[in-house]
Amino acid sequence: MTMSNLKLGVDVVSAHNLLPKDGHGSSSAVVELYFDNQRYRTTIKEKDLNPVWNESFYFNISDPSNLHNLTLDAYIYNDVKVAHSRSFLGKVSINGTSFVPYLDSVVLHYPLEKRGVFSRVRGELGLKVYITNDPSIKSSTPLPAAEDARAHAQSVPNSVPNTFSHAKTEARHTFHHLPNSNHPQPQQQQHISPVVAVPHHVTKYGVDEMKAEPQPPKLVRMFSASSAQPIDYALKETSPFLGGGQVVGGRVIRSDKAASTYDLVEKMHFLFVRVVKARDLPAMDVTGSLDPYVEARIGNYKGVTKHIEKQQNPVWNVVFAFSKERMQASVLEVVVKDKDLIKDDFVGVVRFDLNEVPMRVPPDSPLAPQWYRLEEKKGEKIKGELMLAVWIGTQADEAFNDAWHFDAAAPIDSSAAASTLIRSKVYQAPRLWYVRVNVVEAQDLVPTEKNRFPDVYVKVQIGNQVLKTKNVQARTFNPLWNEDLLFVAAEPFEDHLVLTVEDRVGPGKDEIIGRVIIPLSLVEKRADDRIIHSRWFNLEKPVAMDVDQLKKEKFSSKLHLRVCLDGGYHVLDESTHYSSDLRPTAKQLWKPPIGVLELGILNAVGLHPMKTRDGKGTSDTYCVAKYGHKWVRTRTIVDNLSPKYNEQYTWEVFDPATVITVGVFDNSQLGANGNKDLKIGKVRIRISTLETGRVYTHSYPLLVLNPTGVKKMGELHLVIRFSCTSFVNMLYIYSRPLLPKMHYVRPFNIMQLDMLRHQAVTIVAARLGRAEPPLRKEVVEYMSDVDSHLWSMRRSKANFFRLMSVFSGLFAVGKWFGDICMWKNPITTVLVHVLFVMLVCFPELILPTVFLYMFLIGIWNFRYRPRYPPHMNIKISQAEAVHPDELDEEFDTFPTSRSPELVRMRYDRLRSVAGRIQTVVGDIATQGERLQSLLSWRDPRATAISVTFCLVAAIALYVTPFQVVAALAGLYVMRHPRFRHRLPSVPVNFFRRLPARTDSML
């Protein structure tokens, strides 16, 4: 399929609530479409403010590479059949970055925009826009050039999309019409995504090119998130030598050599060995057969391919990568062996001197494999040839990610499944959808037992997700539920939607009346809250029925449903506090990226041993980074407590209020036991805390909370850079809601969100666990903070002290004002009195003074601004001196697995804590109810006093200038202690005597 067949399809569905322009309370609407110098027009709908067209048009795309710079414009006019006198009803402009393939397209109703400042428009236009390259679809016949086309060209002089106007077109979606169900869907249609230009990075280096003497990386500065944070747990800034040069103070000082593509990691050299195939190998067994495999060996390194049974011309096509810095030998031996039950036979060998192996640096072309004659152990040529390619390269080599890496000092057998587990991998998490099932009613149900009305409910299932409606004991065979059930589904849709109508015959005994099976791929998608038309589905019988019985069934039972895939939501599959993606599911609602995030994973130091091998402690570690839909996994460094990864990855950033998470794990799948991968620690970095273009090189402590307390498992050395591609778009994002519009139009409750998030994490873990190598469930759950919503005494105390810290400024101001009122410092108190009188005399200066003070505080704090991303703080987390029993409670399973006595003790402790919280909440409610009692006549005498006081105060305030009242009130509050009494004042005494609803509490 060629790019010349690429077309833009536009279905003009309907319009709603148009403005009457014909002078008779109506309009005759017609839509004109403009795209890539082509113009199409719909039919005219006479006298209709809610016209429905359901017409399709196809534009030719002349240059697909420039598609993201083009704009589709739709203009609605009131056609009065008089030349050059039609009136404007509104327009819609859709940016080329919003075009999606046909399978992802849905109908969107765009609010109509004004053409000018003085235009009057209202209403919405429903469009379905998609890209297709189906050759059976012919382009529409464009309209001839006319005066109105030239007018359009003048009104739209620039086709470059306006971010703000495009965002306004998607600000409000109200749907009243369905997509065109009669639209022909081409058979075996192939759709391709629109070409989107990837923005270039900003300048890599912020200073002039300088020469630097080679020196090892050293710590240049140490930061701490709090003065109380122990130094060992603090963040450390480093100055390493990377591919682009040395990093000093967040800037890269260029080296003499040209900068590498991987400029955020240290350059590492590897010996790559590509074993392609062999031919004419000699037969080794008595039967004349051969089960060959290849063993690449250098020093203690050994990489082994799988053996191929009974094949003298085998094909392997695998790549081995050996770390050059760990090599202790100068000769590479590539040995062909014959697999045998007792001892493998030697077939032949090819030797390479490492001093003669060529160096390859991209963008040089890959080294072509060559045929090499096999030799005996003594060096004589024998029958058979082996096709190989041997070269020295870096992690920028294309073969790096597909190679089997051997960074261990001990021999590793790569023929086992463990070889796959140590390779690096990039994963793409599935696109998740919310599935909304509205079970309306059933009709003509046939109960399992005669002479009784059924007690029915509907069980809905998608994969492992099962939900039920309430039981309906109706006096009819047409029960009504009208319940909404929500599920999570992932693309590609593998599971079906199964609805089962069941009759509760007795306690614990349910009989199936019938079921409906709906493939999710056929369910309608929507991107907003438009109405989905309901459908009747015939219930299939649970057991086979003979033909005579089917003939007797005059009417079949039916189920009334509304089913849709809600793409206007963001499916929450991670903790809301650490979200890495906030985009909705529907691709046409995605905004352009605002920047690029680059991450370099350098190394880890001081790791704790996680296992024992050959009598000594060791670890087989790998790193996982998660941001958005893209997960990455580094290669596993075997048997090393100070591994060097030096791998670099890139993500597109769509929202600065997102977090990238990097975790370190021990690979437990290399052994025969196959236990769960153990967590070593993780790092979270919020994008909004990063300066644009700055290179952050820090060593992050890996902190893990164990049942024995907080423990530092080592340090992870990372390099991170955020490059902004559109500063205006990034500022505009700060004005947008955090979540998509549907979360506010039709929000979910807390119980629904928790249930759906659990289902989403389970689906993502299952999909990533099926990749090769698999990303295990415990890794996905740890990276997604799946247990962050569970109760923890430690977290509760930490959140309480966080709350106290937030209000500490108010408490400090209150304490300072109390000292002023008590005249602790007479000079300061007199100055405050003078300032107060000035503000009372000139009240217009109050707000300017407050904002000027805030401005000065912000400018003063600029010099103390953080120069590092925030990191986990054990002091803030209340993890430094947590009680062991509280830790045991936090790590307990849910539901609990502890003894009843221990659970009783914890329950009593929780009751005491909740009792204190209950008391505080009750006191706050009491104060509010006392305020209501001032005028509610619950206490008639108190209300009479307060009403009389209000009348007197109204008269006094009317005749007294406001400045005098404010000055007297302020001076009274700040009066000298000589005029104060220890007893509470009269207003306080009166307020405390007012009744509250505490008397009504049981």
Side-chain angles (χ1 to χ4, degrees):
M1 198 66 61
T2 62
M3 297 293 287
S4 59
N5 293 326
L6 200 63
K7 298 178 180 65
L8 178 69
V10 181
D11 294 351
V12 182
V13 181
S14 60
H16 170 68
N17 194 26
L18 297 179
L19 195 68
K21 286 290 186 76
D22 61 357
H24 302 286
S26 186
S27 291
S28 299
V30 61
V31 179
E32 291 193 359
L33 304 173
Y34 300 86
F35 177 78
D36 200 7
N37 298 323
Q38 302 166 66
R39 181 170 67 102
Y40 300 138
R41 180 190 299 163
T42 65
T43 57
I44 301 174
K45 298 298 180 181
E46 300 283 350
K47 306 292 183 179
D48 192 355
L49 295 180
N50 299 286
V52 178
W53 288 279
N54 283 330
E55 300 179 17
S56 300
F57 303 91
Y58 298 95
F59 295 87
N60 285 323
I61 300 177
S62 58
D63 185 8
S65 63
N66 192 41
L67 183 62
H68 62 283
N69 287 327
L70 300 179
T71 303
L72 171 68
D73 295 307
Y75 282 71
I76 304 184
Y77 296 100
N78 173 39
D79 198 307
V80 294
K81 297 183 180 180
V82 179
H84 308 294
S85 63
R86 56 183 184 173
S87 52
F88 176 77
L89 294 178
K91 71 171 184 176
V92 170
S93 297
I94 304 177
N95 193 357
T97 56
S98 301
F99 300 157
V100 296
Y102 179 78
L103 295 178
D104 290 325
S105 62
V106 296
V107 179
L108 282 175
H109 279 232
Y110 298 93
L112 294 177
E113 299 178 357
K114 298 180 179 181
R115 182 167 52 183
V117 179
F118 301 103
S119 300
R120 278 183 63 236
V121 300
R122 76 178 187 195
E124 298 158 338
L125 177 62
L127 300 175
K128 183 176 182 179
V129 184
Y130 50 89
I131 292 176
T132 177
N133 62 349
D134 181 45
S136 63
I137 297 179
K138 303 301 181 183
S139 298
S140 307
T141 303
L143 296 174
E147 293 297 326
D148 52 359
R150 288 193 294 269
H152 167 74
Q154 295 174 1
S155 64
V156 189
N158 194 348
S159 62
V160 178
N162 187 318
T163 303
F164 292 94
S165 64
H166 173 61
K168 288 189 290 185
T169 62
E170 300 184 6
R172 182 173 58 92
H173 305 306
T174 306
F175 285 76
H176 301 273
H177 299 286
L178 288 173
N180 183 9
S181 59
N182 300 322
H183 175 71
Q185 297 186 10
Q187 299 295 326
Q188 298 180 355
Q189 186 177 9
Q190 295 183 3
H191 304 279
I192 63 175
S193 301
V195 180
V196 179
V198 178
H200 295 289
H201 298 327
V202 297
T203 305
K204 303 288 186 184
Y205 311 101
V207 295
D208 296 335
E209 185 174 341
M210 299 172 62
K211 294 184 179 180
E213 293 294 329
Q215 57 184 0
K218 63 178 181 179
L219 298 179
V220 295
R221 197 177 306 149
M222 181 174 291
F223 291 105
S224 175
S226 169
S227 59
Q229 174 89 336
I231 295 180
D232 193 36
Y233 295 154
L235 204 62
K236 301 173 184 176
E237 185 177 7
T238 61
S239 181
F241 281 95
L242 305 180
Q246 187 181 12
V247 179
V248 177
R251 298 178 180 269
V252 179
I253 301 178
R254 276 186 173 177
S255 59
D256 292 335
K257 298 180 180 180
S260 169
T261 305
Y262 286 67
D263 62 332
L264 294 187
V265 292
E266 298 177 7
K267 186 179 295 184
M268 296 182 66
H269 290 91
F270 295 87
L271 174 66
F272 292 96
V273 181
R274 182 185 295 277
V275 181
V276 183
K277 57 184 177 179
R279 67 184 179 187
D280 301 332
L281 295 179
M284 302 300 295
D285 296 339
V286 179
T287 59
S289 64
L290 179 70
D291 303 333
Y293 68 91
V294 176
E295 180 181 285
R297 191 167 51 199
I298 178 170
N300 289 331
Y301 291 88
K302 181 174 66 173
V304 184
T305 68
K306 64 179 180 180
H307 73 278
I308 301 177
E309 296 183 357
K310 299 180 181 180
Q311 180 62 259
Q312 291 180 284
N313 299 288
V315 177
W316 293 282
N317 198 20
V318 297
V319 181
F320 301 115
F322 302 97
S323 178
K324 190 178 179 183
E325 65 177 9
R326 286 178 169 267
M327 294 180 186
Q328 303 297 328
S330 60
V331 176
L332 168 68
E333 293 184 347
V334 183
V335 185
V336 180
K337 291 186 177 182
D338 176 32
K339 188 71 174 179
D340 209 341
L341 294 176
I342 302 176
K343 183 179 180 181
D344 298 342
D345 297 327
F346 175 85
V347 178
V349 65
V350 178
R351 295 182 176 88
F352 296 88
D353 188 349
L354 294 188
N355 296 322
E356 299 178 359
V357 174
M359 172 78 73
R360 187 215 167 210
V361 179
D364 293 347
S365 300
L367 194 67
Q370 301 180 25
W371 287 104
Y372 294 90
R373 286 284 303 273
L374 296 178
E375 301 177 356
E376 292 182 342
K377 294 182 178 179
K378 296 181 180 180
E380 298 179 0
K381 301 291 184 181
I382 62 172
K383 180 183 177 182
E385 291 181 303
L386 187 62
M387 180 177 278
L388 297 171
V390 181
W391 73 96
I392 294 177
T394 65
Q395 63 265 50
D397 201 289
E398 293 88 349
F400 179 80
N401 290 331
D402 297 328
W404 289 353
H405 293 268
F406 304 97
D407 289 349
I412 298 294
D413 183 8
S414 65
S415 62
S419 302
T420 306
L421 295 170
I422 65 175
R423 295 163 65 181
S424 59
K425 183 76 171 181
V426 176
Y427 304 85
Q428 194 70 21
R431 191 154 61 120
L432 302 177
W433 292 78
Y434 283 140
V435 183
R436 188 184 296 271
V437 182
N438 179 238
V439 183
V440 184
E441 59 182 332
Q443 187 178 43
D444 298 331
L445 292 182
V446 179
T448 55
E449 297 180 1
K450 297 182 179 180
N451 302 323
R452 63 178 289 271
F453 290 105
D455 180 12
V456 292
Y457 64 91
V458 180
K459 181 175 72 175
V460 187
Q461 182 174 359
I462 299 180
N464 296 326
Q465 308 171 56
V466 180
L467 293 177
K468 298 179 181 179
T469 66
K470 63 179 182 294
N471 284 61
V472 174
Q473 296 178 341
R475 295 301 177 184
T476 177
F477 296 106
N478 304 319
L480 176 67
W481 293 279
N482 197 22
E483 287 190 42
D484 264 357
L485 304 178
L486 291 168
F487 301 86
V488 178
E491 289 185 345
F493 301 116
E494 299 175 350
D495 299 318
H496 292 338
L497 175 64
V498 181
L499 299 99
T500 307
V501 181
E502 300 188 11
D503 181 13
R504 178 148 297 174
V505 180
K509 184 180 180 182
D510 298 332
E511 298 289 345
I512 298 178
I513 296 178
R515 65 165 55 94
V516 176
I517 300 177
I518 306 174
L520 286 177
S521 57
L522 302 180
V523 175
E524 185 178 353
K525 299 176 180 177
R526 70 174 183 178
D528 39 42
D529 60 339
R530 65 184 174 88
I531 299 175
I532 297 294
H533 281 193
S534 59
R535 290 180 56 191
W536 287 95
F537 295 87
N538 292 329
L539 287 176
E540 300 177 0
K541 301 298 180 182
V543 293
M545 301 173 63
D546 56 17
V547 179
D548 295 335
Q549 190 174 358
L550 286 174
K551 291 181 179 179
K552 294 178 182 178
E553 294 284 347
K554 186 176 181 181
F555 301 102
S556 62
S557 301
K558 295 182 178 181
L559 191 61
H560 195 192
L561 302 173
R562 287 189 183 91
V563 184
C564 71
L565 293 168
D566 265 334
Y569 293 93
H570 168 67
V571 180
L572 299 169
D573 60 339
E574 52 195 344
S575 175
T576 53
H577 301 293
Y578 316 120
S579 294
S580 63
D581 188 15
L582 299 170
R583 294 174 295 172
T585 302
K587 287 185 177 180
Q588 59 265 46
L589 297 180
W590 292 3
K591 298 293 189 292
I594 61 171
V596 175
L597 177 66
E598 298 166 281
L599 173 69
I601 305 176
L602 298 184
N603 53 43
V605 295
L607 296 181
H608 282 227
M610 306 300 292
K611 63 182 69 169
T612 302
R613 181 182 292 138
D614 298 332
K616 65 174 184 178
T618 186
S619 291
D620 307 325
T621 58
Y622 65 91
C623 298
V624 175
K626 174 192 185 304
Y627 186 76
H629 291 171
K630 182 179 176 181
W631 296 61
V632 298
R633 168 182 175 151
T634 68
R635 67 192 189 281
T636 298
I637 308 297
V638 184
D639 197 15
N640 196 332
L641 296 179
S642 297
K644 292 185 178 181
Y645 305 99
N646 284 302
E647 299 185 22
Q648 183 172 339
Y649 300 95
T650 304
W651 288 268
E652 284 186 331
V653 178
F654 293 86
D655 196 310
T658 49
V659 176
I660 182 173
T661 305
V662 185
V664 185
F665 302 89
D666 176 74
N667 196 330
S668 300
Q669 310 308 308
L670 298 179
N673 50 4
N675 295 326
K676 292 184 177 181
D677 289 355
L678 302 177
K679 58 185 180 183
I680 298 179
K682 64 183 172 184
V683 176
R684 288 190 291 256
I685 301 173
R686 188 169 295 274
I687 308 303
S688 59
T689 62
L690 303 177
E691 297 179 17
T692 302
R694 180 183 176 91
V695 179
Y696 292 87
T697 56
H698 290 88
S699 184
Y700 295 83
L702 298 173
L703 305 178
V704 173
L705 192 65
N706 294 321
T708 57
V710 66
K711 187 176 183 181
K712 180 180 176 181
M713 306 296 291
E715 295 183 1
L716 181 63
H717 197 185
L718 299 177
V719 180
I720 191 167
R721 174 173 57 203
F722 171 61
S723 304
C724 179
T725 56
S726 177
F727 186 72
V728 175
N729 283 353
M730 185 171 66
L731 294 182
Y732 174 70
I733 288 294
Y734 277 92
S735 67
R736 302 296 301 159
L738 190 65
L739 293 172
K741 169 190 170 185
M742 284 296 294
H743 286 271
Y744 307 97
V745 175
R746 296 190 65 178
F748 300 134
N749 58 45
I750 299 299
M751 295 294 293
Q752 286 178 320
L753 285 177
D754 287 343
M755 180 194 68
L756 294 172
R757 179 180 171 233
H758 175 73
Q759 295 174 358
V761 173
T762 302
I763 292 175
V764 172
R767 289 290 179 90
L768 296 181
R770 288 159 49 185
E772 190 61 40
L775 203 59
R776 297 180 60 85
K777 180 180 179 181
E778 59 270 15
V779 174
V780 176
E781 291 181 348
Y782 180 62
M783 297 288 290
S784 302
D785 291 281
V786 70
D787 295 329
S788 61
H789 64 287
L790 296 180
W791 159 261
S792 167
M793 181 72 76
R794 176 188 60 84
R795 286 199 199 100
S796 300
K797 292 193 296 185
N799 289 332
F800 173 76
F801 286 113
R802 285 174 56 203
L803 188 65
M804 297 297 292
S805 176
V806 168
F807 290 104
S808 61
L810 294 178
F811 297 152
V813 171
K815 184 177 182 302
W816 171 81
F817 186 73
D819 293 341
I820 293 297
C821 295
M822 298 305 295
W823 291 72
K824 292 288 185 66
N825 189 335
I827 298 178
T828 304
T829 303
V830 171
L831 293 177
V832 169
H833 278 70
V834 173
L835 177 63
F836 172 74
V837 173
M838 290 177 58
L839 292 178
V840 168
C841 296
F842 304 98
E844 64 275 6
L845 297 179
I846 295 178
L847 288 180
T849 302
V850 171
F851 284 106
L852 179 62
Y853 183 63
M854 294 173 62
F855 168 78
L856 295 176
I857 292 177
I859 295 299
W860 177 261
N861 289 337
F862 178 78
R863 60 184 297 186
Y864 304 109
R865 68 189 185 278
R867 300 298 182 91
Y868 55 92
H871 188 52
M872 300 175 185
N873 190 301
I874 63 170
K875 192 73 175 180
I876 296 177
S877 305
Q878 293 293 310
E880 188 178 20
V882 62
H883 195 275
D885 182 69
E886 295 177 0
L887 283 175
D888 184 72
E889 180 184 21
E890 183 171 345
F891 284 93
D892 190 8
T893 58
F894 186 83
T896 182
S897 59
R898 298 296 186 262
S899 63
E901 293 78 10
L902 187 59
V903 173
R904 179 186 294 274
M905 184 273 294
R906 291 175 179 172
Y907 174 66
D908 292 338
R909 181 178 61 192
L910 182 60
R911 288 175 62 190
S912 65
V913 174
R916 290 194 291 270
I917 298 175
Q918 170 185 294
T919 303
V920 173
V921 173
D923 290 343
I924 296 175
T926 298
Q927 307 307 320
E929 291 167 354
R930 285 173 176 168
L931 283 174
Q932 294 177 345
S933 298
L934 284 172
L935 303 175
S936 66
W937 297 92
R938 173 59 60 185
D939 183 342
R941 287 162 297 277
T943 304
I945 294 174
S946 63
V947 168
T948 304
F949 173 78
C950 290
L951 177 62
V952 174
I955 297 174
L957 292 175
Y958 179 76
V959 300
T960 308
F962 173 77
Q963 289 87 344
V964 175
V965 175
L968 293 177
L971 294 175
Y972 174 78
V973 171
M974 295 184 292
R975 65 192 184 279
H976 196 275
R978 180 178 301 177
F979 306 104
R980 295 177 181 272
H981 302 281
R982 294 183 178 273
L983 296 178
S985 62
V986 173
V988 173
N989 295 331
F990 177 79
F991 183 77
R992 288 177 178 175
R993 290 178 177 274
L994 293 174
R997 294 185 178 180
T998 52
D999 303 331
S1000 302
M1001 296 288 293
L1002 289 175

